Amino acid sequence: MAVKARIEGHVFDLDTLCELFSAGDPQISKEDDGCYLGSHDMDGLIDEAGRLVETASRLLRRVVGVARALDSSFRPVALTGQYTDDSGDGKRHHIVAAAMAEIRVKAFAVGVVTTADGSPRQPVSPPQGPPYMQLVKAHPDVSDVLDILGKPSVSMTWVDLYKVYEVVRHNAGSDTALKAKAWVPESDISAFTGSANRPDVSGSEARHARLPGSSPKRTMTLAEGEAFIRKLVVAWWDSLSE
């Protein structure tokens, strides 16, 4: 990975991303002058600023989507518009491209584990992030979900969450097929859909303004709905990986 894009954010968030994507493609690494996103997808694009910005933005959005599914509270991370190129003459070249859109996730406080000499300890098991990213190549539905989960907002809306639910349900085949997978309890599905759809449960944030019938016996808050979607998505990804 010769070309890398510098990212910035709170140290806790960068440490979490470095842990999730410490190896593989894409990879996030901490270097002397900051934290960088690297991928072979960016190699060869250093002289094509438009394509480089577009590729780096897409990669970070999907990285953020994976991180959001795996962890519950991230804070902002962003592409700085600074890139490095380690190819060619053996020297590191620094390039500043056009301003980048900020990608936001929630914070998850994770410290860096170090060895006795202060250097970062290498994770024992392979990082979780890249295998989930690789699912995009074989499953377009995964790409659609990552684009939703990686959107530049701190929290998700009921509309966002339900879109993710619809993609997963479509991939499973039907409501009946999804419930048969037992990725999440059937009662959780009913509570989620009722809460997402009904204004008498979620008020103006609900997907619909009016719905007939009575409120469900069990409901979810928006935070509980987001936790439900994270659990569903990771279980779905794991099934695709198998």
Side-chain angles (χ1 to χ4, degrees), residues 123-175:
V124 176
S125 58
Q128 292 177 277
Y132 290 134
M133 289 281 287
Q134 296 307 310
L135 292 174
V136 169
K137 297 178 179 179
H139 303 282
D141 287 342
V142 174
S143 176
D144 290 341
V145 164
L146 287 178
D147 285 342
I148 299 170
L149 292 178
K151 64 182 298 188
S153 58
V154 174
S155 60
M156 309 291 285
T157 67
W158 281 117
V159 173
D160 296 326
L161 297 176
Y162 205 87
K163 285 181 178 179
V164 173
Y165 171 76
E166 288 179 325
V167 174
V168 177
R169 182 181 62 188
H170 171 80
N171 189 270
S174 65
D175 278 313

Side-chain angles (χ1 to χ4, degrees), residues 1-7 21-31 35-43 52 55-56 59-60 63 79 83-84 86 92 130 133-134:
M1 301 175 191
V3 178
K4 297 179 182 179
R6 187 174 179 181
I7 60 176
F21 294 91
S22 61
D25 189 352
Q27 181 177 351
I28 298 180
S29 58
K30 186 172 290 186
E31 304 184 16
C35 196
Y36 285 85
L37 165 67
S39 172
H40 290 301
D41 289 352
M42 292 189 291
D43 289 351
L52 179 60
T55 301
L59 284 168
L60 186 58
V63 163
L79 291 167
Y83 298 83
T84 62
D86 294 333
R92 166 163 285 197
M133 289 281 287
Q134 296 307 310

Side-chain angles (χ1 to χ4, degrees), residues 15 18-19 22 111-125:
D15 286 346
C18 286
E19 180 179 334
S22 61
V112 177
V113 179
T114 60
T115 60
D117 63 2
S119 60
R121 186 185 300 277
Q122 295 300 316
V124 176
S125 58

Side-chain angles (χ1 to χ4, degrees), residues 7-226:
I7 60 176
E8 62 182 0
H10 193 282
V11 62
F12 290 159
D13 307 294
L14 297 176
D15 286 346
T16 300
L17 294 176
C18 286
E19 180 179 334
L20 290 174
F21 294 91
S22 61
D25 189 352
Q27 181 177 351
I28 298 180
S29 58
K30 186 172 290 186
E31 304 184 16
D32 292 341
D33 61 339
C35 196
Y36 285 85
L37 165 67
S39 172
H40 290 301
D41 289 352
M42 292 189 291
D43 289 351
L45 298 181
I46 205 65
D47 294 324
E48 302 180 56
R51 288 184 60 198
L52 179 60
V53 169
E54 179 182 356
T55 301
S57 298
R58 182 181 68 251
L59 284 168
L60 186 58
R61 181 157 183 155
R62 290 175 178 176
V63 163
V64 166
V66 170
R68 174 173 258 156
L70 296 175
D71 290 312
S72 60
S73 57
F74 276 82
R75 286 178 184 167
V77 298
L79 291 167
T80 66
Q82 296 176 301
Y83 298 83
T84 62
D85 183 8
D86 294 333
S87 62
D89 56 11
K91 298 179 180 180
R92 166 163 285 197
H93 299 271
H94 293 268
I95 302 96
V96 178
M100 311 291 288
E102 183 175 289
I103 306 295
R104 298 176 61 93
V105 285
K106 298 182 182 179
F108 181 62
V110 177
V112 177
V113 179
T114 60
T115 60
D117 63 2
S119 60
R121 186 185 300 277
Q122 295 300 316
V124 176
S125 58
Q128 292 177 277
Y132 290 134
M133 289 281 287
Q134 296 307 310
L135 292 174
V136 169
K137 297 178 179 179
H139 303 282
D141 287 342
V142 174
S143 176
D144 290 341
V145 164
L146 287 178
D147 285 342
I148 299 170
L149 292 178
K151 64 182 298 188
S153 58
V154 174
S155 60
M156 309 291 285
T157 67
W158 281 117
V159 173
D160 296 326
L161 297 176
Y162 205 87
K163 285 181 178 179
V164 173
Y165 171 76
E166 288 179 325
V167 174
V168 177
R169 182 181 62 188
H170 171 80
N171 189 270
S174 65
D175 278 313
T176 301
L178 177 60
K179 293 174 181 177
K181 299 288 186 182
W183 292 330
V184 291
E186 187 171 336
S187 59
D188 285 358
I189 296 178
S190 298
F192 170 79
T193 56
S195 301
N197 288 322
R198 298 195 64 88
D200 51 348
V201 176
S202 299
S204 60
E205 295 182 350
R207 294 178 63 243
H208 299 290
R210 297 287 187 275
L211 274 183
S214 57
S215 301
K217 293 182 179 179
R218 183 180 163 218
T219 62
M220 289 183 177
T221 64
L222 183 59
E224 290 170 336
E226 188 169 338

